[in-house]
Amino acid sequence: MTARIQVSHPGPDNDRPPPVRPALGAVAWKETVHLLGNLPLTLVGFVYTVTMVATAGGLSVTAIGLPLLALGLLGSRQLGRVERARARVLLGVRVEEPTPLPGPRRAGGFFPWLWAGVKDPVAWRAVLYELVRLPWGVLTFTVALVGLLVLWPVLPYVVRWLSNVDRLMVRGLLSPSDELERRIAELESDRGVVVDTAAADMRRIERDLHDGAQARLVALAMGLGLAKEKLLEDPDAAAAMVDEAHGEVKLALQELRDLARGIHPAVLTDRGLDAALSAVASRCVVPVKVAVDLEERPAAAIEGIAYFTVSELLQNVSKHAGARGASVEVWRSSGTASGRLLIRVSDDGRGGADLGGGSGLAGLAGRLRAVDGVFVVDSPEGEGTVVTAELPWRGRG
């Protein structure tokens, strides 16, 4: 057997070098640019901060010292915004912007605005950030520059370590006051939910009055007018019209009672949640067990929200659950200083309830969040639905 050996001779294709690949990836380049930009931006921020603090401190014994400090802290806020934007673009750090300070008009006057600006924690953390960054900016600029020149094989590892320290600084010093900022954002969102809900309720009441009781009263007035004209000519026809008008009056009264019950039922005001929820349960198409264990009545607003929450949930049971039975439990927990009002509505239906399924659950969740409540739905397919709601407890008086 003769072995054949194929030898590759140099040619145009064999002489080509391997394709060029960048020594650093896009992320490493961004981190390097960030580190190189630390020194100039740190110098600007350090000089501004030292000048602002020294000037405002020196003039603090005069009338312009505190206003100057407040304006200087507003400038520190803007420096923090620039650093957050730079970290977002080059380091991929997502830090929420803090809530802007209200102006003098919204703050209630010049002096409340001045005091809010002087004690602004976001601005003071930005001041601390600019002060501690000077030596770090010099170090990172030097290391990144030297790494580009002589340490480029290990530069991605070096810049990653230095950039991680930068990420920690941005998150630690330039992020909003987590709890306070979240609470402010939640309250602003909840205020919008409350306003929208109130407007929707007003439109619903107006629509019910216009399409229901008002239309019946108009027909009643027309019927009585015709009966009056026929009273002498045709007494029998007039009597029939009066009987029809009497029926319209009864229907209009029933619709007005239903509408009033939808606004705020009298039984809730007079006898509390136990009687009101028992009345709601009696109108459900499936048997409902009601257990209310409250030693005292909550505030009227909390009681009303609890009532309408259970009412809406039982309507969902009647319309969508396909259940054979349901239960309502209401009690007060003692987990916190004031406690919480807990509501649990369960059924043995088909399950599969979803907050986004168009059954009104999302609206209920929004209403409860608006008063610092909690709304949880547990509804596996074929295993029934359990809805738990929590409301802050506020006693009457």
Side-chain angles (χ1 to χ4, degrees), residues 67-79:
L68 186 62
L69 178 61
L71 293 175
L73 290 174
L74 285 177
S76 296
R77 264 184 167 251
Q78 300 307 313
L79 289 175

Side-chain angles (χ1 to χ4, degrees), residues 74 77-78 81 84 97-103 106-107 113 116 120 122 176 181 184 188:
L74 285 177
R77 264 184 167 251
Q78 300 307 313
R81 175 178 293 183
R84 282 189 294 272
E97 292 293 329
T99 303
L101 290 176
R106 289 184 56 194
W113 168 83
D120 179 19
V122 175
E181 293 291 334
I184 291 174
E188 290 177 347

Side-chain angles (χ1 to χ4, degrees), residues 99-115:
T99 303
L101 290 176
R105 180 176 300 179
R106 289 184 56 194
F110 174 76
F111 288 104
W113 168 83
L114 178 63
W115 179 241

Side-chain angles (χ1 to χ4, degrees), residues 274-288:
D274 195 355
L277 295 182
S278 298
V280 172
S282 67
R283 297 193 294 269
C284 189
V285 299
V286 300
V288 180

Side-chain angles (χ1 to χ4, degrees), residues 328-344:
V328 176
E329 301 171 77
V330 180
W331 73 98
R332 180 184 177 183
S333 73
S334 56
T336 60
S338 59
R340 306 275 286 182
L341 180 64
L342 299 180
I343 303 167
R344 180 184 294 124

